[in-house]
């Protein structure tokens, strides 16, 4: 039997999960005229666009694809990462490209200086590939950020997204927005639909996150059928579906 972690270990884990949420906050009121839903993809594996992007496009909607350009074209645990042509296709389809650090760095274990350098390198790489494009949104790779990494990211982006498995309601922190990872739902569509309905009732902003969308997904992704059902549930809730950048603009303008 594996021994239970002691109080010190549990305390360290709690601190790692929650320390950054208390610091370097940029508050925004979550009070849209209609509830908001965003679909986001971390790492930008090709399958995210080929299937997830296709599904969103079939409903006339767009998402946010967070990319680490140091991984471009490489194999990853969530499948083959996108290439330059995929970046162009995503933009042509109206999707947003977001930053995920150049090196896909661990957001808790990486020193703040190295973390910032990787953010800047990712921005430079994007400008080399697509000179007229820039990142406005960011998501933290692998883990919740240490406070110093959060402070670095806040210098460069309109918003930064974490996890948390919950919606953003009432008031949110633009420097650490909450998201719900679909792969952590265990394929329980009823639970996801209930969260969508609760977000609609509270007129909140629900950000979904995942990685690959494939018939045989990695442990970090989900199937096209499940993703399609979630998109349909969001649309049937009378929510406005927008990329992260555009949802922030709606909240700042007070309109939907």
């Amino acid at each position: 039997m594996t021994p239970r972690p002691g109080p010190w270990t549990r305390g360290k884990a709690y601190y790692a999960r929650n320390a950054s949420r208390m610091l370097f906050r940029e508050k925004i009121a979550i009070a849209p005229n209609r509830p908001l839903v965003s679909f986001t993809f971390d790492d930008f594996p090709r399958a995210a666009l080929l299937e997830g992007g296709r599904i969103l496009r079939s409903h006339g909607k767009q998402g946010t694809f967070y990319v680490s350009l140091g991984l471009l074209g490489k194999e990853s645990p969530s499948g083959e990462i996108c290439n330059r042509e995929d970046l162009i296709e995503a933009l042509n389809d109206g999707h947003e490209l977001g930053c995920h650090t150049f090196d896909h760095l661990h957001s808790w274990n990486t020193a703040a200086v190295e973390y910032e350098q990787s953010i800047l390198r990712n921005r430079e790489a994007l400008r080399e590939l697509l000179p007229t494009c820039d990142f406005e949104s960011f998501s933290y790779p692998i883990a919740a950020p240490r406070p110093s990494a959060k402070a670095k990211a806040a210098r460069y982006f309109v918003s930064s997204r974490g996890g948390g498995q919950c919606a953003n309601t009432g008031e949110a922190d633009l420097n650490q927005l909450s998201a719900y990872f679909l792969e952590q739902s265990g394929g329980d569509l009823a639970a996801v639909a209930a969260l969508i309905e609760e977000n609609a009732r509270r007129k909140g902003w629900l950000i979904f996150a995942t990685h690959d969308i494939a018939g045989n997904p990695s442990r970090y992704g989900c199937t096209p059928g499940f993703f399609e059902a979630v998109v349909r549930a969001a649309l049937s809730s009378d929510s406005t579906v927008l990329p992260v950048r555009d949802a922030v603009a709606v909240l700042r303008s007070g309109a939907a």
Side-chain angles (χ1 to χ4, degrees):
M1 179 182 294
T2 303
R4 295 182 61 187
W8 173 245
T9 301
R10 293 197 300 271
K12 285 173 62 180
Y14 177 85
Y15 176 76
R17 288 194 307 271
N18 296 284
S20 61
R21 290 198 176 274
M22 307 172 196
L23 301 168
F24 305 113
R25 295 171 56 83
E26 183 180 347
K27 297 178 182 179
I28 187 170
I30 307 296
N33 294 335
R34 293 172 60 190
L36 297 171
V37 174
S38 297
F39 289 93
T40 69
F41 306 87
D42 284 3
D43 304 357
F44 196 172
R46 298 198 73 212
L49 180 64
L50 297 177
E51 290 294 342
R54 175 189 62 79
I55 290 168
L56 288 172
R57 187 173 66 252
S58 72
H59 294 282
K61 304 301 177 184
Q62 291 80 37
T64 297
F65 292 76
Y66 296 104
V67 61
S68 297
L69 292 172
L71 304 182
L72 211 65
K74 296 181 180 179
E75 286 296 327
S76 79
S78 56
E80 183 185 355
I81 298 299
C82 66
N83 54 43
R84 183 177 184 274
E85 288 69 31
D86 296 323
L87 299 176
I88 294 171
E89 181 179 345
L91 292 173
N92 288 340
D93 288 342
H95 299 297
E96 176 189 12
L97 296 181
C99 181
H100 205 42
T101 75
F102 182 84
D103 308 283
H104 197 254
L105 295 177
H106 195 288
S107 298
W108 182 265
N109 293 339
T110 305
V113 171
E114 182 183 356
Y115 202 78
E116 182 177 30
Q117 290 172 344
S118 191
I119 286 172
L120 293 173
R121 189 177 180 192
N122 212 39
R123 296 176 78 199
E124 292 166 2
L126 181 66
R127 289 167 183 162
E128 290 174 3
L129 290 167
L130 304 168
T132 62
C133 190
D134 198 4
F135 295 124
E136 296 183 48
S137 305
F138 181 75
S139 75
Y140 297 107
I142 305 173
R146 65 172 57 240
S148 55
K150 179 181 178 182
K152 295 294 187 184
R155 296 181 179 182
Y156 302 104
F157 304 103
V158 172
S159 71
S160 297
R161 199 220 72 214
Q165 297 304 98
C166 62
N168 301 278
T169 57
E171 184 179 84
D173 176 10
L174 280 175
N175 294 335
Q176 195 171 352
L177 293 165
S178 296
Y180 184 95
F181 279 87
L182 289 172
E183 60 266 28
Q184 295 184 26
S185 70
D188 188 347
L189 182 60
V192 176
L195 181 62
I196 291 171
E197 290 303 319
E198 176 67 10
N199 181 71
R201 184 184 67 79
R202 299 183 65 180
K203 286 192 175 180
W205 180 18
L206 177 56
I207 304 175
F208 285 114
T210 191
H211 295 77
D212 53 305
I213 309 292
N216 184 26
S218 73
R219 60 187 289 248
Y220 304 104
C222 63
T223 65
F226 184 75
F227 186 76
E228 170 88 38
V230 174
V231 172
R232 288 184 179 276
L235 294 173
S236 66
S237 71
D238 198 34
S239 297
T240 301
V241 176
L242 293 171
V244 170
R245 170 197 58 210
D246 298 343
V248 172
V250 163
L251 293 172
R252 285 181 162 167
S253 71

